[in-house]
Amino acid sequence: MVRLFYLLFRRWWPAMLCLLVVSASPALAAGEAEAPVPALMLSDVHLDPFQDPARVRQLDRAPVSQWAAILSEPVSATQPQDAVGLQENCPVRGMDTPYALFRSSLKAMRAQNPAPKFITVSGDLISHAFKCRYRALLPNATPGAYDVFVEKTITFVSDQIRAAFPGVPVYIALGNNDAVCDDYKLDANSAFLAAAGRILSAGLPEDDRAQAEKQIAVDGDYVAHLPIPKTRILVLDDLFFSMNYEDCRRNGDPHPALQQLVWLEAQLADARAHGEKVWVMAHIPPGVDVFTTMMRFRAVCHNEPAVTFLSDWLNDKLTDVLERYGDVVRLSVFAHTHMDEMRLLRPESGAAGTPVAIKMVPSISPVNGNTPAFTLVSVNASSATLEDYHVVMASNATGIDTRWSDEYDFADTYHVKDYTPEALEPLLDALSRDDRGQSEAAKSYIRNYYAGGKLPAVGLFWSEYRCSIENSSAKSYAACECQAAK
């Protein structure tokens, strides 16, 4: 008997010791489970294949596999005057992303975060005035050829990101520019969306690809799983929600958006029933477009409603759905403004729901005079919440001899432990009350709003901007601004 016990002990003591160590160290085990998940967020790439107009015909004829080589060639001798002529025919307010800048940004992303667990791209892969520029440079091309060129550009941007991070899931939303009819113009159940389904689903986890491809073909939406336990991401093509939306016959049909709301709520209800957590991502954010409101001289304190990014009633419908499922929505990711913004969806007085944190991601494109930037994030693996992020910005907008450096870190700058509604509310409440922007937090927000802090608009109109942080409807925004006026 003694010998039998000895033999058993000799064989099994390592496993028993391991079990005892784990049992005696619950804090260590929990610490390992809570290790943050590194991820990467970028948006508004707006790749410009027309930067060297003389190369466009070559790109049009070439397969996507040859685009990198073509775009890497030295610019044509006539490029300066060709670009001026193209700008005169198809004006754009600034410069979109040349390939050199896009390539430089991907290189910097790899250097800063060589092993992200996942990547989000919150829309607008192609450049502004895309259709006008293609038609100006290739006037004899068929409509079908133009559609193919759009699809090739979206494919190229997606492929370049995936090639930079092999095997990493890449979740991409379509933006208002990502359409073949024109900016803000798209048909549901279209050939373009079918092509987009094939392109975007290729970067998803294998188990999600087939269903995502089918759903994208309908209305640009899809569901996939993040590499975080029991967490799904719901991606919307919310172009259909925009106040500027029209279908390709310019009817502005609201039915796709209504169908999307039904789909979104069904997904959120299913996630709640299965004890899952959710991220929601789209391109155009809910809430007030402060810049457009100011440019249109809206007298919001005299019954002229502020301009919202989304159609007024769809804006309120979307925020209502997100707030009613705020217990499962751990983060909403948007972009579109090209700026680095924090927002919080908070139910208005008497309404049911739970606050939802919104992160608006700065752009790679410098078209608005902003410095190109991307965002590195840390995600809590068990709660699927954003723990921290820091923004990395470029030294110039060309991609030539460009250096990328940290602009700021969220936790260090605002002294907030994580990016959750509970942690954000005191900070954002204080920002909303600071109508003169005198606090250190307000000064930081104003400085970081434009990557590099070079443009003054948000500082000049801080009283208006700070009201957009926690007020997503035109009504609540007006109440905030008009209270300050009193």
Side-chain angles (χ1 to χ4, degrees):
M1 180 64 71
V2 173
R3 180 171 176 79
L4 177 61
F5 177 80
Y6 169 76
L7 291 174
L8 289 172
F9 178 79
R10 183 177 178 182
R11 181 171 182 177
W12 294 107
W13 76 266
M16 295 170 64
L17 181 61
C18 182
L19 181 61
L20 286 170
V21 169
V22 171
S23 300
S25 307
L28 177 62
E32 290 173 353
E34 294 287 342
V37 173
L40 173 65
M41 292 180 177
L42 62 148
S43 190
D44 292 273
V45 174
H46 288 295
L47 180 73
D48 184 6
F50 309 112
Q51 187 204 22
D52 187 354
R55 300 276 184 217
V56 173
R57 191 171 299 276
Q58 187 180 2
L59 290 170
D60 192 53
R61 294 172 177 171
V64 174
S65 60
Q66 296 178 12
W67 273 37
I70 295 169
L71 291 169
S72 298
E73 294 175 2
V75 296
S76 307
T78 59
Q79 191 271 342
Q81 55 265 42
D82 290 346
V84 170
L86 186 59
Q87 176 69 6
E88 290 174 352
N89 286 324
C90 304
V92 175
R93 59 184 176 270
M95 181 185 77
D96 264 322
T97 303
Y99 178 58
L101 175 61
F102 182 41
R103 184 174 57 192
S104 175
S105 71
L106 292 174
K107 183 178 179 181
M109 291 172 205
R110 288 197 306 270
Q112 293 272 352
N113 189 356
K117 294 298 183 183
F118 65 93
I119 299 169
T120 64
V121 185
S122 38
D124 271 2
L125 280 64
I126 70 175
S127 58
H128 295 86
F130 202 89
K131 189 169 190 176
C132 178
R133 293 185 168 220
Y134 182 87
R135 297 274 188 236
L137 296 172
L138 299 171
N140 297 321
T142 65
Y146 169 71
D147 293 357
V148 170
F149 194 79
V150 173
E151 292 164 13
K152 285 164 68 173
T153 307
I154 292 174
T155 300
F156 179 69
V157 174
S158 305
D159 285 353
Q160 289 280 294
I161 297 169
R162 292 195 288 261
F165 297 93
V168 176
V170 181
Y171 306 89
I172 302 176
L174 293 172
N176 54 280
N177 284 98
D178 302 324
V180 292
C181 297
D182 211 344
D183 190 15
Y184 288 104
K185 296 179 178 62
L186 180 64
D187 283 339
N189 297 289
S190 60
F192 167 73
L193 286 178
R198 294 189 293 272
I199 297 165
L200 304 187
S201 63
L204 301 177
E206 187 173 357
D207 291 346
D208 294 322
R209 291 175 191 168
Q211 185 57 43
E213 181 178 343
K214 291 179 183 178
Q215 183 64 37
I216 294 168
V218 175
D219 52 17
D221 305 340
Y222 64 91
V223 57
H225 292 86
L226 291 175
I228 303 171
K230 300 192 70 174
T231 305
R232 65 179 77 177
I233 182 169
L234 306 179
V235 180
L236 285 172
D237 184 357
D238 65 347
L239 161 60
F240 297 109
F241 289 69
S242 170
M243 61 177 296
N244 298 317
Y245 167 67
E246 294 175 327
D247 64 20
C248 295
R249 293 169 300 283
R250 299 177 182 270
N251 292 329
D253 181 8
H255 295 301
L258 295 177
Q259 294 167 358
Q260 288 175 297
L261 281 170
V262 171
W263 175 83
L264 175 64
E265 184 153 14
Q267 286 288 335
L268 290 169
D270 187 65
R272 178 186 280 166
H274 288 86
E276 293 187 27
K277 303 169 286 286
V278 175
W279 282 26
V280 175
M281 181 171 72
H283 180 64
I284 307 172
V288 172
D289 180 348
V290 180
F291 180 80
T292 302
T293 299
M294 299 302 297
M295 291 302 99
R296 293 182 182 176
F297 299 100
R298 289 289 180 91
V300 298
C301 296
H302 297 280
N303 298 319
E304 289 187 12
V307 178
T308 51
F309 292 107
L310 307 177
S311 174
D312 288 345
W313 65 281
L314 286 170
N315 176 78
D316 295 346
K317 287 283 188 183
L318 178 60
T319 56
D320 176 65
V321 170
L322 293 176
E323 289 163 1
R324 282 193 287 109
Y325 289 90
D327 57 315
V328 295
V329 178
R330 299 306 167 90
L331 183 69
S332 287
V333 182
F334 295 94
H336 187 60
T337 65
H338 293 207
M339 307 306 164
D340 182 70
E341 299 191 51
M342 298 183 287
R343 294 199 180 195
L344 185 69
L345 295 183
R346 186 153 59 179
E348 295 184 19
S349 179
T354 305
V356 175
I358 288 180
K359 183 71 195 84
M360 291 172 62
V361 182
S363 68
I364 299 297
S365 171
V367 72
N368 287 338
N370 55 294
T371 303
F374 58 85
T375 306
L376 308 178
V377 303
S378 298
V379 182
N380 185 293
S382 62
S383 65
T385 54
L386 197 60
E387 286 190 346
D388 195 10
Y389 68 84
H390 71 271
V391 177
V392 180
M393 66 177 183
S395 61
N396 63 50
T398 66
I400 300 172
D401 297 325
T402 302
R403 300 178 307 280
W404 295 78
S405 58
D406 290 353
E407 182 185 21
Y408 79 100
D409 180 271
F410 166 74
D412 291 345
T413 300
Y414 295 108
H415 311 293
V416 176
K417 63 177 182 177
D418 53 24
Y419 199 89
T420 61
E422 297 77 16
L424 283 172
E425 277 189 291
L427 168 65
L428 300 188
D429 283 349
L431 288 175
S432 295
R433 291 192 301 268
D434 184 5
D435 60 338
R436 297 190 179 187
Q438 296 300 307
S439 67
E440 286 304 313
K443 290 176 183 177
S444 295
Y445 191 89
I446 292 167
R447 182 174 59 251
N448 297 326
Y449 180 85
Y450 292 97
K454 295 179 180 179
L455 300 178
V458 70
L460 293 174
F461 300 110
W462 170 249
S463 181
E464 291 76 17
Y465 271 98
R466 52 103 196 176
C467 284
S468 69
I469 294 173
E470 292 184 297
N471 297 285
S472 59
S473 71
K475 179 181 176 181
S476 63
Y477 175 84
C480 172
E481 186 174 338
C482 302
Q483 179 63 37
K486 292 178 182 179

